[in-house]
Amino acid sequence: MATVTVPRATASPPRGDRRGARRLTRTAGFGLGLAMTWFSLLVLIPLAAVVVKAAGGGWTTFQSVLTDPGTLVTLRFTILTAVGVTLLNAVMGTLIAWLLVRDAFPGKRILDLVIDIPFAMPTIVAGLVLLALYGHEGPLGIDVSGTKLGVVLAIAFVTLPFVVRAVQPVLASLETDVEEAAASLGASRWTTLRRIILPSLLPAITAGASLSFARAISEYGSVVLISMNARGVEVMSTETYRYIEGGDTAAAAAVAVLLLVIALVTIIVLDVLQRRAARRG
Amino acid sequence: MADASSATRTSPRRRTSAGAWVVRAIVAVYLFLLVLWPTAVLFRGAFADGLGTITAAIADPDVVHALVLTGQTAVLAVAINLVFGLGVSLLLVRYDFFGKRVLSWLIDLPLSASPVVVGLALLLVYSPVYGWFGPGLREAGIEVAFAMPGIVMATCFVSLPLVVREVVPVLTELGDDQEQAARSLGAGGWQTFRRITLPGIRWALVYGLVLSLARSLGEFGAVKVVSGHVIGQTATATVAVESAYQNNNTEQAYAIAVLLVLATVLCLVVVAILHTRDAREKG
Amino acid sequence: MNPRTPAVALALIGALALTACSGAGAASTDSSGSVAIVGYSVLEEANQGVQKAFQQTEPGKGVVFTESYGASGDQSRAVAAGQRADEVHLSLEPDVTRLVDAGLVDADWKDNDTAGVCTDSVVVFVVRKGNPKNITTWADLIKPGVQIVTPDPASSGSAKWNLLAAYGSAAANGGDAAAQSYITSFFDNVIALPASGRQATSTFTGGKGDVLISYENEAILARQSGSDFDYVVPDSSLLIENSCALLKDHSDAAESWLAFQKSVDGQKEYAATGYRPLASVADQVGTLTVDGAMTPDDPFPTVDHLLTIDGDFGGWDAANKKFFDADNGILTKIQSEAGF
């Protein structure tokens, strides 16, 4: 249901062109000023305060946090899980988008709604139901509470919709002339998929993956319930919490800054890749 | 729902290849284990007693207050995100200014901030005791942290990028030829926006707002830290869910949770229906 | 779209915003008839009965309570960050000391008949029904294969009581060396370290672990609300003394409330949810029957070796520094070496 019908102008300029971006008018400038004020009060200044807090501890705080073996283990686990789940989402998300766009079967509308359930569920509720199902008292006899797999499960749940929703509209608006031409020239379906369809979808998959990764490294509500702070099953968000509660706010801020830097770098890298892919396509 | 207006686009058709069946099987199992069954657990828990659990939950004034508070916060956050999101999208796509790229990167940052960090960041600035602005605001009689404004801000923080993310791609795809044409014909800015731009981005905007609503209803960590969760005053619905669960009142936890989920699902269903109707009318 | 629609919509939102801002989160006016309590997690249900009893008394008539409950450290930090309160009732003294340092509580808050304590309990072992692994002593906890659930000392007051009880009990039989080796073995058996006493109980009730180290009153309360487990009062334990203090800026009703909490009637109400009556009024409270206790007619069996924080650990200031200091605390070090 997220497919957005895009009315095509009769003569559409090639993609990657700057679509009529122009200099700021007075109203636009004023609007930008307002927007920036709100954005600063809400996001930029508070995040700056976190950076200042981390820096207040001097370089020694960063050093002690970065060299703390516990933190490094947690960081590795957080990043690996995020990357792993993002790759899983890239695959499953594309498959699901494929089904939603190119396949027809009874109940397709329901499937569309099911994809949005992780959005609709508050994180703590997600944690509760996953625990009820895959925890110690779960009917399947599987117990992933307090395990790394449990954390993966929780993160896979909350990040499910991102790639699907990013790929769906693009897949829907793909023109199939090229696909048909390839087929008529004897290309197998697999080749068509690999050489023609997937490259067109790559920017969308990347965009969805970026969102998925961002959410995966910062998820707290669902993870904290399943992980139960068991040994070796901590993620950076719970680690930050422990530093805060331990009274070491500077260290907590340092950990937070580290994670934000990783996130920012990922955003930038994926944005550059996306633009490059879009320009080529 | 694929757009069937172009003759060269593949309309969805029933696939019969082995590959299609494999894909269907994999997706079905994955979604069942990951989403459907957990959701069923939620609904089963909430409706185990028919409507009894839910009526019992709503009979509790603290629960009602928490739900109302969450609702008010969500409406305010969505309204703010609408104005901000729409404005920033237009600025990012239709204009050029110094720092545009950096701004678009920074806009995405709240998505990667864990709720713990959001709470910490907001308190570092708005705590009435040690925050940068907090004490000054308290002197002026304005309570941000541990009061409604703080809750709204925490909610806005986490849902900030959602509208922008949905609208920007569509706005970019649309191109501004029609807008320029309208302007050259003498249409004012607001008129152009209302008659030309808005209809084009309408569904992306609506979806972005629904996502924003969902996130606002469901935010837990950041709000918990910033609100002080005073029962009957600043405790939101998600905090009430955790509290009920920890007081061994799992039924109440599920009841509140199901109400939150149903609210979002209802919005999604309504939007889907309206969108299909709109597409059908156009097609 | 009707050109007036956005204006109408914005007006509605504005009106909603105004009602919302004035309704929720308004700081309680300093009227004599209200008490704002910020308490630690386990207190939430216990206070209900005590408040109702208080409201039957003369000074308590018409008093309105606003309450916030959560992990003791969290709550203490929230008040230090500016959350308004008349009374804080927290799991342990250092959480109040933080507020003294922040200038929110008078330095002489402990100078009264109960040394600043409002509720008492002891550390117990919560086990599965029937105690299948036969866990009755501290030594049993470190046997191989026993899975322990205890909250995280970094955020939970309950956890600090638990660990000090463990340490003190082991130290009684061999001094600091024996105690440290005991704690190391203890952490080897810990499988989960949830953030608060409440979360630890939820974790245990959810099926994790063989034994939960907890407050006696938490165990009794959980059994009252239907949890199906047993608990064991070990032969050696630590007296848990929960601190309560009024903030410098508090309502008049808060003073009467505090007095009531410590009175015979107040302590009887707390006993109904599993707290041990304060020493100052224990005789007057008389014999009690407490639903949910292992033996309802003898709900609070005497602990053979009851340690106290002041008597055996030199008070919280010293104990906190010696055991829980972020860099050099004995227990902090053992905990991080164990991988937590």
Side-chain angles (χ1 to χ4, degrees):
Chain A
M1 71 122 269
T3 33
V4 174
T5 325
V6 173
R8 295 233 168 222
T10 36
S12 27
R15 269 192 268 170
D17 189 17
R18 246 192 312 155
R19 304 295 190 98
R22 54 201 174 90
R23 299 186 47 149
L24 290 172
T25 61
R26 230 188 11 208
T27 22
F30 179 67
L32 182 63
L34 269 184
M36 282 310 294
T37 312
W38 172 243
F39 189 52
S40 304
L41 286 175
L42 185 68
V43 178
L44 293 181
I45 297 180
L47 287 183
V50 174
V51 174
V52 166
K53 191 75 183 178
W59 184 240
T60 40
T61 315
F62 273 106
Q63 232 181 344
S64 68
V65 161
L66 288 175
T67 52
D68 175 55
T71 311
L72 288 176
V73 166
T74 309
L75 182 64
R76 215 181 59 151
F77 176 55
T78 310
I79 304 283
L80 282 180
T81 310
V83 170
V85 172
T86 302
L87 289 175
L88 174 68
N89 282 336
V91 172
M92 290 306 300
T94 314
L95 288 181
I96 297 173
W98 182 273
L99 277 186
L100 285 172
V101 175
R102 295 275 178 104
D103 202 358
F105 51 87
K108 196 165 91 160
R109 293 274 183 82
I110 314 261
L111 176 66
D112 217 12
L113 201 59
V114 166
I115 300 299
D116 275 329
I117 287 180
F119 277 149
M121 225 185 247
T123 53
I124 181 173
V125 178
L128 282 182
V129 293
L130 286 174
L131 202 56
L133 208 49
Y134 301 109
H136 205 269
E137 315 265 279
L140 278 177
I142 315 173
D143 183 14
V144 293
S145 63
T147 66
K148 294 195 164 126
L149 196 54
V151 174
V152 170
L153 181 68
I155 295 183
F157 179 91
V158 298
T159 53
L160 174 74
F162 291 116
V163 174
V164 179
R165 292 305 183 215
V167 171
Q168 234 181 321
V170 177
L171 192 56
S173 60
L174 274 187
E175 288 169 2
T176 56
D177 325 33
V178 188
E179 284 175 58
E180 285 168 14
S184 72
L185 286 171
S188 71
R189 296 200 51 199
W190 174 242
T191 317
T192 319
L193 190 73
R194 206 163 43 88
R195 287 266 179 94
I196 299 182
I197 300 181
L198 277 182
S200 324
L201 293 182
L202 213 51
I205 298 180
T206 317
S210 167
L211 285 172
S212 168
F213 183 78
R215 190 64 196 272
I217 54 173
S218 64
E219 179 56 21
Y220 178 71
S222 55
V223 171
V224 75
L225 277 177
I226 287 211
S227 76
M228 292 177 176
N229 248 8
R231 193 182 282 115
V233 188
E234 251 195 45
V235 289
M236 290 304 263
S237 49
T238 53
E239 176 92 352
T240 319
Y241 176 76
R242 283 170 101 228
Y243 272 121
I244 294 176
E245 295 314 311
D248 200 353
T249 325
V255 166
V257 168
L258 179 60
L259 214 55
L260 284 171
V261 166
I262 294 175
L264 195 58
V265 167
T266 315
I267 292 173
I268 296 176
V269 165
L270 286 176
D271 183 41
V272 168
L273 284 179
Q274 203 186 331
R275 279 169 200 266
R276 211 170 283 174
R279 214 172 293 143
R280 223 184 288 134
Chain B
M1 287 119 225
D3 176 51
S5 56
S6 165
T8 55
R9 291 200 194 105
T10 315
S11 25
R13 56 188 170 77
R14 193 160 185 85
R15 307 270 163 160
T16 47
S17 65
W21 277 108
V22 169
V23 170
R24 282 187 199 147
I26 297 175
V27 167
V29 170
Y30 186 70
L31 288 180
F32 178 74
L33 289 177
L34 191 64
V35 183
L36 282 172
W37 203 355
T39 315
V41 167
L42 172 65
F43 278 83
R44 206 166 357 113
F47 293 109
D49 206 18
L51 283 178
T53 336
I54 298 192
T55 29
I58 319 185
D60 183 340
D62 291 332
V63 170
V64 172
H65 185 275
L67 287 167
V68 169
L69 178 64
T70 298
Q72 287 172 332
T73 311
V75 168
L76 281 173
V78 167
I80 295 174
N81 283 334
L82 166 65
V83 174
F84 179 82
L86 205 49
V88 168
S89 303
L90 286 168
L91 285 166
L92 284 177
V93 179
R94 294 281 180 261
Y95 295 94
D96 230 355
F97 50 88
F98 176 71
K100 185 166 96 160
R101 271 282 205 117
V102 177
L103 179 63
S104 88
W105 291 334
L106 291 177
I107 297 262
D108 274 341
L109 208 52
L111 278 175
S112 330
S114 94
V116 181
V117 173
V118 175
L120 172 68
L122 287 174
L123 278 184
L124 283 175
V125 177
Y126 296 106
S127 154
V129 172
Y130 57 71
W132 288 1
F133 302 156
L137 287 169
R138 188 171 253 190
E139 298 264 318
I142 306 175
E143 296 285 329
V144 174
F146 307 113
M148 179 75 161
I151 300 177
V152 174
M153 286 188 82
T155 312
C156 282
F157 191 114
V158 298
S159 53
L160 186 97
L162 295 171
V163 171
V164 177
R165 272 260 175 185
E166 290 296 318
V167 171
V168 162
V170 179
L171 206 51
T172 321
E173 265 308 292
L174 274 181
D176 71 338
D177 317 355
Q178 288 183 306
E179 290 169 26
Q180 280 183 2
R183 250 187 296 272
S184 71
L185 288 172
W190 174 244
Q191 237 182 339
T192 315
F193 174 71
R194 203 161 48 82
R195 289 268 176 90
I196 313 247
T197 322
L198 198 55
I201 58 171
R202 188 178 354 169
W203 292 112
L205 181 62
V206 167
Y207 189 58
L209 290 176
V210 175
L211 286 185
S212 187
L213 176 74
R215 191 83 166 96
S216 306
L217 289 175
E219 177 49 33
F220 172 65
V223 168
K224 186 176 175 195
V225 169
V226 171
S227 67
H229 48 88
V230 175
I231 304 175
Q233 284 198 354
T234 52
T236 56
T238 43
V239 166
V241 169
E242 187 201 31
S243 175
Y245 178 68
Q246 287 184 350
N247 288 345
N248 230 359
N249 197 348
T250 331
E251 303 85 41
Q252 191 181 73
Y254 280 145
I256 306 172
V258 107
L259 288 174
L260 292 173
V261 171
L262 282 177
T264 312
V265 167
L266 195 65
C267 291
L268 287 169
V269 167
V270 167
V271 169
I273 295 177
L274 290 176
H275 192 184
T276 325
R277 201 175 298 168
D278 184 72
R280 214 174 286 146
E281 277 167 23
K282 283 216 187 101
Chain C
M1 185 164 67
N2 185 330
R4 250 178 277 142
T5 319
V8 171
L10 283 172
L12 279 174
I13 291 171
L16 187 62
L18 285 172
T19 45
C21 286
S22 57
S28 52
T29 50
D30 203 10
S31 72
S32 55
S34 73
V35 181
I37 301 176
V38 171
Y40 73 101
S41 58
V42 180
L43 206 53
E44 184 167 354
E45 280 136 315
N47 263 354
Q48 305 307 311
V50 189
Q51 283 162 3
K52 286 206 180 68
F54 176 62
Q55 285 161 333
Q56 311 285 1
T57 69
E58 191 49 50
K61 267 204 191 25
V63 169
V64 168
F65 287 95
T66 58
E67 312 158 80
S68 169
Y69 297 102
S72 188
D74 278 352
Q75 296 294 76
S76 168
R77 249 170 262 284
V79 176
Q83 183 173 357
R84 290 204 194 273
D86 293 314
E87 183 206 29
V88 289
H89 186 163
L90 299 170
S91 175
L92 71 184
E93 193 188 295
D95 285 333
V96 180
T97 315
R98 181 182 293 119
L99 301 178
V100 175
D101 294 338
L104 295 163
V105 171
D106 284 323
D108 62 354
W109 67 278
K110 279 198 295 180
D111 293 342
N112 51 48
D113 53 344
T114 60
V117 178
C118 272
T119 46
D120 274 354
S121 191
V122 295
V123 176
V124 300
F125 308 152
V126 178
V127 295
R128 300 285 166 203
K129 190 130 195 91
N131 200 356
K133 292 217 171 170
N134 207 17
I135 300 169
T136 53
T137 66
W138 291 100
D140 289 335
L141 290 180
I142 58 171
K143 287 199 181 126
V146 173
Q147 295 184 323
I148 304 176
V149 175
T150 181
D152 184 357
S155 55
S156 166
S158 173
K160 289 187 179 173
W161 291 113
N162 295 348
L163 288 177
L164 286 179
Y167 190 96
S169 306
N173 291 337
D176 278 318
Q180 287 179 36
S181 123
Y182 176 83
I183 298 288
T184 312
S185 315
F186 179 90
F187 269 109
D188 283 339
N189 279 357
V190 170
I191 56 158
L193 217 58
S196 78
R198 262 308 154 87
Q199 285 179 24
T201 310
S202 302
T203 307
F204 185 77
T205 337
K208 248 357 205 200
D210 302 311
V211 58
L212 162 75
I213 320 291
S214 183
Y215 301 22
E216 182 184 47
N217 66 291
E218 168 77 340
I220 292 177
L221 191 61
R223 282 162 56 90
Q224 282 178 0
S225 58
S227 293
D228 199 19
F229 49 58
D230 294 341
Y231 67 90
V232 172
V233 182
D235 53 355
S236 164
S237 187
L238 177 61
L239 181 68
I240 297 176
E241 299 166 279
N242 308 125
S243 305
C244 50
L246 298 176
L247 270 70
K248 280 184 183 167
D249 190 16
H250 62 259
S251 63
D252 303 332
E255 291 191 19
S256 332
W257 161 247
L258 187 65
F260 183 80
Q261 283 180 289
K262 299 181 186 181
S263 69
V264 178
D265 291 325
Q267 287 297 305
K268 273 196 193 150
E269 286 299 327
Y270 276 122
T273 49
Y275 284 97
R276 295 194 171 210
L278 292 173
S280 53
V281 296
D283 333 311
Q284 296 160 52
V285 166
T287 43
L288 296 159
T289 307
V290 178
D291 212 13
M294 287 302 287
T295 329
D297 293 323
D298 178 26
F300 307 123
T302 326
V303 176
D304 295 332
H305 308 287
L306 189 62
L307 306 159
T308 60
I309 194 77
D310 289 327
D312 296 278
F313 294 95
W316 266 113
D317 283 339
N320 225 9
K321 192 168 293 168
K322 178 177 174 193
F323 293 99
F324 298 109
D325 180 72
D327 301 310
N328 302 318
I330 298 178
L331 294 175
T332 321
K333 277 201 245 170
I334 300 181
Q335 183 183 333
S336 72
E337 269 157 36
F340 282 101

